[in-house]
Amino acid sequence: MSSTSESYLVGLIGEGVTPSLSPPLHEQEADHLGLRYLYRPVDLSLMAADRDLDPAVRLGELLQRGRELGFNAFNITHPCKQMVMQFLDEVSNDARSLGAVNTVLIRDGRFIGHNTDYSGFASALAAGLPSAPLDRVVQLGVGGAGSAVAYALLKAGTAHLTLIDLDYARASERAAALAALFPGRKVNAADSTELAAVLAGADGLVHATPVGMHSHPGLPLDLDLVDPRQWVADVVYRPLETELVRGARAKGCAVLDGGYMAVGQAVDAFELITGIRPDADRMRAHFLDLIERGL
């Protein structure tokens, strides 16, 4: 357990991270806990002097500078979650299985990688859909967030997971990798033309593509394919009420908005960084307030 006399300097490395809600979310919770905690975005898209560098070289140099400047940790986001692996001295088993890291702790000069995207979705399911049947699930999208979500579903007990992506080869590759990690489960890829057939027998649907974000408005599928008995989870949280969440709720489905995963990964990252388990309900309330205020 960390002492409240300790201070924390944390950064978020990625492209376009200046508007991120992570800094105020972490800092407000730290204030409640009496911690001195400073969290700053390190936006690669704004670092003009480094734009000509190879992205991996730039990331490695940022980590080195952070260590020299006394940072305690970095959260890592697009496009660096896989790239950062080469600079780490130690990686958690789950992060190694996923091939992606979103939290890097700096301890005694060593870089230690973790993945709280998968654990964040696992806690989101437990908090937002505590009684949802998980036996047969269809997932749309297998990118960075999608890979973590699929891993979380299988760890939570999903017996048959079908992955669908615009890039069928990517879905097939991810399905094969997950099947190897979870030999007792059935993980397969399906073409988007098979969506209606596979969804008809599913307990739930997880959406993990950018469709529905402010910059990519719309629906990722025809809502007529969704049955009211099914649950629907979205990883998009800006807006919190995506067309998918709103439409599925109107049909009578149990729904999970993307804010649950966003908060869940932040809760786990905060605990890794400080050694103190934050109040998840309070962080969810902070998050909803930030969204409401349009920050």
Side-chain angles (χ1 to χ4, degrees), residues 97-263:
S97 295
L98 280 165
V101 159
N102 77 330
T103 303
V104 175
L105 307 181
I106 304 175
R107 298 287 186 267
D108 300 320
R110 301 175 73 246
F111 296 121
I112 304 169
H114 295 268
N115 188 301
T116 68
D117 284 333
Y118 99 86
S119 61
F121 186 75
S123 64
L125 274 178
L129 294 172
S131 59
L134 299 174
D135 187 54
R136 299 177 68 89
V137 179
V138 174
Q139 179 178 315
L140 305 181
V142 295
S147 293
V149 166
Y151 185 81
L153 285 167
L154 292 165
K155 288 203 77 169
T158 294
H160 186 176
L161 179 62
T162 301
L163 303 177
I164 297 177
D165 194 90
L166 289 177
D167 184 342
Y168 179 77
R170 179 166 71 167
S172 297
E173 181 182 343
R174 178 50 29 193
L178 288 168
L181 291 171
F182 297 90
R185 316 294 171 79
K186 184 175 181 181
V187 188
N188 65 287
D191 187 86
S192 56
T193 59
E194 303 174 83
L195 176 58
V198 296
L199 190 55
D203 297 310
L205 169 73
V206 179
H207 171 241
T209 84
V211 177
M213 295 173 64
H214 283 305
S215 55
H216 297 85
L219 283 164
L221 80 165
D222 184 345
L223 278 174
D224 287 340
L225 300 179
V226 178
D227 190 278
R229 69 175 175 78
Q230 297 170 322
W231 55 266
V232 175
D234 204 338
V235 304
V236 173
Y237 66 88
R238 276 187 157 178
L240 197 62
E241 283 282 308
T242 60
E243 290 186 50
L244 176 61
V245 166
R246 190 166 56 249
R249 183 186 291 115
K251 293 195 69 167
C253 299
V255 298
L256 184 75
D257 66 64
Y260 278 98
M261 179 178 175
V263 172

Side-chain angles (χ1 to χ4, degrees), residues 78-111:
H78 177 80
C80 303
K81 291 182 183 182
Q82 290 81 30
M83 194 187 306
V84 74
M85 300 279 287
Q86 63 190 290
F87 303 109
L88 305 179
D89 299 295
E90 182 181 332
V91 181
S92 72
N93 290 335
D94 291 309
R96 183 176 293 105
S97 295
L98 280 165
V101 159
N102 77 330
T103 303
V104 175
L105 307 181
I106 304 175
R107 298 287 186 267
D108 300 320
R110 301 175 73 246
F111 296 121

